[in-house]
Amino acid sequence: MNDFVLAEQDHKFISSQKWEVAVLPFGATEPHGYHMPYGTDNFQCDVIGRHVCEHAYKRGAKVLLLPTMPFGVNTNHLKIPGGIALSVTPTTLLKLITDLVDSLERQGIRKLVLLNGHGGNELKPFARELFHKTSVFIAVVNNWFNVGADQYPQLFKNAGEHADEVEASMGLAYFPELMKMHQAGDGATKPTRFAAISKGWVSITRPWQFATTDTGMGDPRPATAEKGRQLMKLLEERLGDFLYELAKAPMDEKFPY
């Protein structure tokens, strides 16, 4: 049981505290190759949320981890043969965030961090949508795997994008009982017919059934649990320190500047 995890605590304790920051993780339920579970994004976001909130809480910040949202925007996964992706639309996700922000505002929590772990959940536009409609300050971690990306060349052999060495390392470290690395493929991807898209000059919503061979993007086979633990330590420091600083910052007329 953790003091800072809402789902694990009772009303007596929760109501006795003055919570400064709420952290809302966003995942998805979708295929992650042959070697990782469908709940990978959810498991990762939950464990990262626990680690970074614990880091801040131990420093004295009243941070509260909310339950992980298990459904994300997976509209480009719906035609994968034999695959199941549980998807909501961006409009539905906006409505959900709007309602949750309203709930927090009514409870007196005025700082919210959206911790995203799924590429299809583009949350920054939602923060813009609500900017003048709520007194709750909304910060977006979009996505957690970008937080330590500058260290990937030192940590990983060849980081990919989905069910890759990075995610597989996190899985081996934090939910190894669900990993099947003996089934891992090479994570090969298929280029589009347009050079501008392949080079990143133009962005599209990729039909996942054409873009991948086994739904993974990037070779997961060099993954190790130790690499996952090293990445988590980096996330703890960077995001945990941010949560502490956010919690302690007064919301004056120039906040957050």
Side-chain angles (χ1 to χ4, degrees), residues 110-111 131 136-138 245-257:
R110 297 184 57 208
K111 298 171 184 174
F131 187 74
V136 176
F137 172 76
I138 303 174
E245 293 165 2
L246 179 62
K248 297 305 178 184
M251 293 189 73
D252 53 30
E253 65 277 2
K254 292 186 177 180
F255 180 86
Y257 290 91

Side-chain angles (χ1 to χ4, degrees), residues 108-167:
I109 300 176
R110 297 184 57 208
K111 298 171 184 174
L112 172 65
V113 175
L114 306 181
L115 175 60
N116 188 33
H118 170 60
N121 298 335
E122 297 177 4
L123 303 180
K124 180 75 177 289
F126 300 158
R128 291 182 182 275
E129 175 75 19
L130 296 174
F131 187 74
H132 289 296
K133 298 178 181 179
T134 178
S135 66
V136 176
F137 172 76
I138 303 174
V140 180
V141 181
N142 200 23
N143 297 290
W144 69 258
F145 34 84
N146 293 328
V147 174
D150 60 309
Q151 296 300 309
Y152 283 7
Q154 288 73 48
L155 285 174
F156 302 105
K157 182 177 180 180
N158 187 20
E161 183 179 344
H162 182 74
D164 63 335
E165 182 184 357
V166 178
E167 289 201 299

Side-chain angles (χ1 to χ4, degrees), residues 79-102:
K79 291 188 177 181
I80 294 174
I84 297 175
L86 302 178
S87 180
V88 298
T89 65
T91 303
T92 299
L93 203 58
L94 172 60
K95 176 58 177 165
L96 179 64
I97 293 174
T98 301
D99 288 350
L100 293 175
V101 168
D102 179 66

Side-chain angles (χ1 to χ4, degrees), residues 14 23 29 32 70 73 102 105 113 140 142 172 186 225 242 248:
I14 292 296
V23 177
T29 301
H32 276 73
V73 179
D102 179 66
E105 187 172 30
V113 175
V140 180
N142 200 23
L172 290 171
D186 61 7
F242 167 69
K248 297 305 178 184

